[in-house]
């Protein structure tokens, strides 16, 4: 018989990856809470919430985050280009998750070295801004097979982090 495991009896080993998330105007409390949970699940080192007037802590976010916001480090910032500039100076590869004319499918993404990664994820309706895409080192996308050309930002973040951490685990 298979026993269902839960957080009290799992044997997963805690691990942190050299990955920082940069949220470009992500403002939905449900998505922010989900991003905290996903970041915790994948051992992400930090989250930046960038944009003007974004409320990070709210009742809805807290319900969705299930306390992960209490131990995943995060920083609010109004200016995303300042955050990207700082991370580039710290030798992070800036990778935007967005379908563009020159984006690479994430399934084909190859880490060139075990470099620190800053993954930029975009606002729910409009994605990563043109300004950020222009200063990114690389743009990745998730292949879509249905009629829609986008998916929920938290869902896409989970898929991207799965692929990236899988590669980092094998280096």
């Amino acid at each position: 018989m298979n026993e269902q495991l839960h957080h009290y009896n799992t044997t997963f080993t805690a691990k942190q990856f050299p990955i920082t998330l940069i949220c470009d105007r992500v403002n939905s409390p449900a998505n922010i809470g989900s991003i905290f949970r996903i970041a915790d699940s994948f051992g992400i080192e930090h989250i930046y919430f960038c944009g003007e007037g974004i409320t990070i802590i709210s009742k809805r976010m807290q319900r969705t985050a299930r306390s992960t916001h209490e131990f995943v480090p995060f920083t609010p910032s109004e200016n995303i280009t300042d955050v990207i500039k700082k991370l580039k100076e710290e030798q992070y590869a800036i990778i935007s998750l967005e379908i563009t004319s020159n984006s690479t499918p994430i399934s084909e993404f190859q880490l060139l070295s075990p470099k620190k990664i800053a993954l930029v994820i975009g606002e729910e309706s409009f994605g990563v801004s043109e300004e950020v895409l222009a200063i990114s080192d690389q743009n990745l996308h998730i292949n879509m097979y249905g009629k829609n050309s986008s998916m929920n930002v938290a869902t896409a973040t989970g898929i991207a982090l799965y692929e990236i951490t899988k590669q980092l685990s094998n280096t």
Side-chain angles (χ1 to χ4, degrees):
M1 182 172 139
N2 286 329
E3 177 187 356
Q4 181 181 17
L5 301 179
H6 46 78
H7 62 274
Y8 296 114
N9 64 358
T10 58
T11 57
F12 294 120
T13 303
K15 187 172 187 174
Q16 188 170 51
F17 289 94
I19 302 172
T20 290
L21 284 177
I22 303 174
C23 301
D24 184 5
R25 300 164 296 141
V26 174
N27 58 22
S28 158
N31 283 333
I32 291 171
S34 293
I35 288 166
F36 271 113
R37 284 184 72 183
I38 290 164
D40 175 57
S41 296
F42 285 102
I44 302 312
E45 64 184 9
H46 199 93
I47 305 172
Y48 287 91
F49 291 99
C50 301
E52 294 180 15
I54 294 173
T55 301
I56 297 168
I57 306 297
S58 68
K59 291 282 188 204
R60 175 72 169 114
M61 182 285 298
Q62 290 175 324
R63 279 193 310 274
T64 308
R66 297 194 57 191
S67 301
T68 54
H69 65 288
E70 294 174 9
F71 44 86
V72 173
F74 69 95
T75 304
S77 176
E78 288 194 2
N79 191 324
I80 193 168
T81 54
D82 288 348
V83 170
I84 290 172
K85 182 179 177 183
K86 172 184 166 288
L87 292 174
K88 278 190 176 208
E89 288 171 0
E90 295 175 16
Q91 303 301 306
Y92 280 80
I94 309 300
I95 299 172
S96 288
L97 186 61
E98 187 66 62
I99 298 171
T100 70
S101 58
N102 68 347
S103 58
T104 302
I106 196 155
S107 58
E108 297 173 16
F109 172 62
Q110 295 292 311
L111 289 173
L112 299 177
S113 67
K115 195 173 190 175
K116 297 183 287 189
I117 295 170
L119 180 65
V120 183
I121 56 175
E123 187 265 336
E124 291 85 351
S125 297
F126 301 105
V128 177
S129 69
E130 293 285 336
E131 175 186 27
V132 171
L133 291 173
I135 59 174
S136 296
D137 297 315
Q138 188 170 8
N139 300 322
L140 300 178
H141 69 265
I142 298 166
N143 283 339
M144 306 286 291
Y145 301 105
K147 292 182 177 22
N148 195 358
S149 64
S150 70
M151 67 174 65
N152 173 273
V153 64
T155 302
T157 301
I159 293 167
L161 290 175
Y162 175 81
E163 285 289 333
I164 293 168
T165 58
K166 182 173 72 172
Q167 283 199 35
L168 286 173
S169 292
N170 294 330
T171 58

